Amino acid sequence: MRKLSAVLCFGLLAAVTLPAQGDEVALLDWRAALMETDAAQSSMNQLRNRLFDQQQEAESLGQELQQMQQRLQQQGESMTETERRTSMQEFQRKGQRFEQLRQEIGQARQQSEQQFLQQAEPKLDQAVQQVIERHGVEVLVEPNGVLHSEREMQNLTGEVTEILNTLY
């Protein structure tokens, strides 16, 4: 990703300092190109399947916690001290489990994304280079790097996605 980031930063710098003519300047949303690939969709589906049970448990716990909170608010005054203490302990126990699941799911997603990006980086670099050469692009910018443009730039995102799909 460092190589790609350097290319994109250089492209942005060049766009600011060089007058652009014709199709020398093009736009690429490399994140969208990657995320729209068949490989990314497959990776996300595998992650969803792997985390299904944990996500179901977290959703169920979230609903239970909401119901418990409402019940405590509505009936808290009429409960005995023992009932209130027991309910609060159960609420805390379920809340801790919910937080643990949330963290585990977040970590698994982050690890999966990181692994996918590491595997995709060389292919992304290759696809971007092919498109740059095919279109004779001198300056390649990403959507966040475009501050102003008098004309619409050629968007190469879909083409990069197509090439990425053939590289997997």
Side-chain angles (χ1 to χ4, degrees), residues 118-131:
Q118 285 175 342
Q119 293 171 351
E121 182 181 0
K123 292 175 174 98
L124 179 61
D125 288 341
Q126 184 180 352
V128 169
Q129 193 58 45
Q130 283 181 28
V131 171

PDB file of all heavy atoms in Angstrom, residues 118-131:
ATOM      1  N   GLN A 118      -3.276  -6.914   2.374  1.00  0.00           N
ATOM      2  CA  GLN A 118      -1.905  -7.373   2.143  1.00  0.00           C
ATOM      3  C   GLN A 118      -1.827  -8.269   0.915  1.00  0.00           C
ATOM      4  O   GLN A 118      -0.890  -8.174   0.130  1.00  0.00           O
ATOM      5  CB  GLN A 118      -1.369  -8.120   3.374  1.00  0.00           C
ATOM      6  CG  GLN A 118      -1.011  -7.212   4.521  1.00  0.00           C
ATOM      7  CD  GLN A 118      -0.608  -7.978   5.768  1.00  0.00           C
ATOM      8  OE1 GLN A 118      -0.894  -9.163   5.918  1.00  0.00           O
ATOM      9  NE2 GLN A 118       0.064  -7.290   6.677  1.00  0.00           N
ATOM     10  N   GLN A 119      -2.812  -9.129   0.754  1.00  0.00           N
ATOM     11  CA  GLN A 119      -2.832 -10.018  -0.405  1.00  0.00           C
ATOM     12  C   GLN A 119      -3.174  -9.260  -1.684  1.00  0.00           C
ATOM     13  O   GLN A 119      -2.700  -9.599  -2.764  1.00  0.00           O
ATOM     14  CB  GLN A 119      -3.841 -11.150  -0.195  1.00  0.00           C
ATOM     15  CG  GLN A 119      -3.462 -12.113   0.892  1.00  0.00           C
ATOM     16  CD  GLN A 119      -4.578 -13.099   1.215  1.00  0.00           C
ATOM     17  OE1 GLN A 119      -5.698 -12.966   0.741  1.00  0.00           O
ATOM     18  NE2 GLN A 119      -4.266 -14.094   2.043  1.00  0.00           N
ATOM     19  N   ALA A 120      -3.990  -8.227  -1.567  1.00  0.00           N
ATOM     20  CA  ALA A 120      -4.471  -7.496  -2.741  1.00  0.00           C
ATOM     21  C   ALA A 120      -3.485  -6.448  -3.240  1.00  0.00           C
ATOM     22  O   ALA A 120      -3.538  -6.073  -4.417  1.00  0.00           O
ATOM     23  CB  ALA A 120      -5.802  -6.823  -2.412  1.00  0.00           C
ATOM     24  N   GLU A 121      -2.600  -5.974  -2.387  1.00  0.00           N
ATOM     25  CA  GLU A 121      -1.717  -4.862  -2.767  1.00  0.00           C
ATOM     26  C   GLU A 121      -0.950  -5.095  -4.058  1.00  0.00           C
ATOM     27  O   GLU A 121      -0.989  -4.241  -4.951  1.00  0.00           O
ATOM     28  CB  GLU A 121      -0.750  -4.535  -1.627  1.00  0.00           C
ATOM     29  CG  GLU A 121       0.160  -3.368  -1.950  1.00  0.00           C
ATOM     30  CD  GLU A 121       1.129  -3.053  -0.844  1.00  0.00           C
ATOM     31  OE1 GLU A 121       1.125  -3.724   0.198  1.00  0.00           O
ATOM     32  OE2 GLU A 121       1.917  -2.109  -1.025  1.00  0.00           O
ATOM     33  N   PRO A 122      -0.266  -6.224  -4.227  1.00  0.00           N
ATOM     34  CA  PRO A 122       0.471  -6.405  -5.487  1.00  0.00           C
ATOM     35  C   PRO A 122      -0.452  -6.453  -6.711  1.00  0.00           C
ATOM     36  O   PRO A 122      -0.110  -5.928  -7.770  1.00  0.00           O
ATOM     37  CB  PRO A 122       1.197  -7.746  -5.312  1.00  0.00           C
ATOM     38  CG  PRO A 122       0.949  -8.210  -3.937  1.00  0.00           C
ATOM     39  CD  PRO A 122      -0.059  -7.320  -3.302  1.00  0.00           C
ATOM     40  N   LYS A 123      -1.618  -7.047  -6.541  1.00  0.00           N
ATOM     41  CA  LYS A 123      -2.568  -7.129  -7.654  1.00  0.00           C
ATOM     42  C   LYS A 123      -3.126  -5.744  -7.977  1.00  0.00           C
ATOM     43  O   LYS A 123      -3.303  -5.402  -9.148  1.00  0.00           O
ATOM     44  CB  LYS A 123      -3.690  -8.099  -7.306  1.00  0.00           C
ATOM     45  CG  LYS A 123      -3.205  -9.540  -7.217  1.00  0.00           C
ATOM     46  CD  LYS A 123      -4.311 -10.456  -6.746  1.00  0.00           C
ATOM     47  CE  LYS A 123      -3.867 -11.889  -6.799  1.00  0.00           C
ATOM     48  NZ  LYS A 123      -3.420 -12.465  -5.603  1.00  0.00           N
ATOM     49  N   LEU A 124      -3.393  -4.961  -6.951  1.00  0.00           N
ATOM     50  CA  LEU A 124      -3.885  -3.607  -7.164  1.00  0.00           C
ATOM     51  C   LEU A 124      -2.829  -2.770  -7.883  1.00  0.00           C
ATOM     52  O   LEU A 124      -3.141  -2.063  -8.837  1.00  0.00           O
ATOM     53  CB  LEU A 124      -4.259  -2.949  -5.830  1.00  0.00           C
ATOM     54  CG  LEU A 124      -4.763  -1.515  -5.916  1.00  0.00           C
ATOM     55  CD1 LEU A 124      -6.032  -1.423  -6.755  1.00  0.00           C
ATOM     56  CD2 LEU A 124      -5.008  -0.964  -4.513  1.00  0.00           C
ATOM     57  N   ASP A 125      -1.589  -2.869  -7.432  1.00  0.00           N
ATOM     58  CA  ASP A 125      -0.506  -2.142  -8.106  1.00  0.00           C
ATOM     59  C   ASP A 125      -0.428  -2.531  -9.587  1.00  0.00           C
ATOM     60  O   ASP A 125      -0.280  -1.673 -10.460  1.00  0.00           O
ATOM     61  CB  ASP A 125       0.847  -2.423  -7.430  1.00  0.00           C
ATOM     62  CG  ASP A 125       0.976  -1.751  -6.076  1.00  0.00           C
ATOM     63  OD1 ASP A 125       0.232  -0.799  -5.790  1.00  0.00           O
ATOM     64  OD2 ASP A 125       1.853  -2.189  -5.291  1.00  0.00           O
ATOM     65  N   GLN A 126      -0.547  -3.835  -9.855  1.00  0.00           N
ATOM     66  CA  GLN A 126      -0.476  -4.338 -11.229  1.00  0.00           C
ATOM     67  C   GLN A 126      -1.649  -3.798 -12.059  1.00  0.00           C
ATOM     68  O   GLN A 126      -1.461  -3.343 -13.195  1.00  0.00           O
ATOM     69  CB  GLN A 126      -0.488  -5.868 -11.213  1.00  0.00           C
ATOM     70  CG  GLN A 126      -0.334  -6.509 -12.566  1.00  0.00           C
ATOM     71  CD  GLN A 126      -0.354  -8.036 -12.476  1.00  0.00           C
ATOM     72  OE1 GLN A 126      -0.345  -8.614 -11.398  1.00  0.00           O
ATOM     73  NE2 GLN A 126      -0.399  -8.683 -13.626  1.00  0.00           N
ATOM     74  N   ALA A 127      -2.855  -3.847 -11.507  1.00  0.00           N
ATOM     75  CA  ALA A 127      -4.035  -3.365 -12.235  1.00  0.00           C
ATOM     76  C   ALA A 127      -3.944  -1.871 -12.505  1.00  0.00           C
ATOM     77  O   ALA A 127      -4.245  -1.410 -13.610  1.00  0.00           O
ATOM     78  CB  ALA A 127      -5.305  -3.682 -11.434  1.00  0.00           C
ATOM     79  N   VAL A 128      -3.510  -1.114 -11.514  1.00  0.00           N
ATOM     80  CA  VAL A 128      -3.377   0.336 -11.686  1.00  0.00           C
ATOM     81  C   VAL A 128      -2.345   0.641 -12.761  1.00  0.00           C
ATOM     82  O   VAL A 128      -2.566   1.488 -13.639  1.00  0.00           O
ATOM     83  CB  VAL A 128      -3.010   1.021 -10.350  1.00  0.00           C
ATOM     84  CG1 VAL A 128      -2.611   2.475 -10.560  1.00  0.00           C
ATOM     85  CG2 VAL A 128      -4.171   0.930  -9.369  1.00  0.00           C
ATOM     86  N   GLN A 129      -1.234  -0.067 -12.745  1.00  0.00           N
ATOM     87  CA  GLN A 129      -0.196   0.167 -13.745  1.00  0.00           C
ATOM     88  C   GLN A 129      -0.706  -0.145 -15.151  1.00  0.00           C
ATOM     89  O   GLN A 129      -0.435   0.599 -16.096  1.00  0.00           O
ATOM     90  CB  GLN A 129       1.052  -0.672 -13.421  1.00  0.00           C
ATOM     91  CG  GLN A 129       2.273  -0.263 -14.211  1.00  0.00           C
ATOM     92  CD  GLN A 129       2.637   1.202 -13.989  1.00  0.00           C
ATOM     93  OE1 GLN A 129       2.656   1.700 -12.886  1.00  0.00           O
ATOM     94  NE2 GLN A 129       2.908   1.911 -15.064  1.00  0.00           N
ATOM     95  N   GLN A 130      -1.466  -1.238 -15.296  1.00  0.00           N
ATOM     96  CA  GLN A 130      -2.028  -1.588 -16.606  1.00  0.00           C
ATOM     97  C   GLN A 130      -2.943  -0.481 -17.129  1.00  0.00           C
ATOM     98  O   GLN A 130      -2.880  -0.109 -18.302  1.00  0.00           O
ATOM     99  CB  GLN A 130      -2.823  -2.885 -16.519  1.00  0.00           C
ATOM    100  CG  GLN A 130      -1.993  -4.137 -16.459  1.00  0.00           C
ATOM    101  CD  GLN A 130      -2.874  -5.379 -16.407  1.00  0.00           C
ATOM    102  OE1 GLN A 130      -3.997  -5.393 -16.907  1.00  0.00           O
ATOM    103  NE2 GLN A 130      -2.355  -6.437 -15.790  1.00  0.00           N
ATOM    104  N   VAL A 131      -3.785   0.046 -16.259  1.00  0.00           N
ATOM    105  CA  VAL A 131      -4.739   1.079 -16.665  1.00  0.00           C
ATOM    106  C   VAL A 131      -4.013   2.381 -16.976  1.00  0.00           C
ATOM    107  O   VAL A 131      -4.355   3.076 -17.946  1.00  0.00           O
ATOM    108  CB  VAL A 131      -5.821   1.266 -15.572  1.00  0.00           C
ATOM    109  CG1 VAL A 131      -6.697   2.462 -15.856  1.00  0.00           C
ATOM    110  CG2 VAL A 131      -6.670   0.005 -15.463  1.00  0.00           C
TER     111      VAL A 131
END
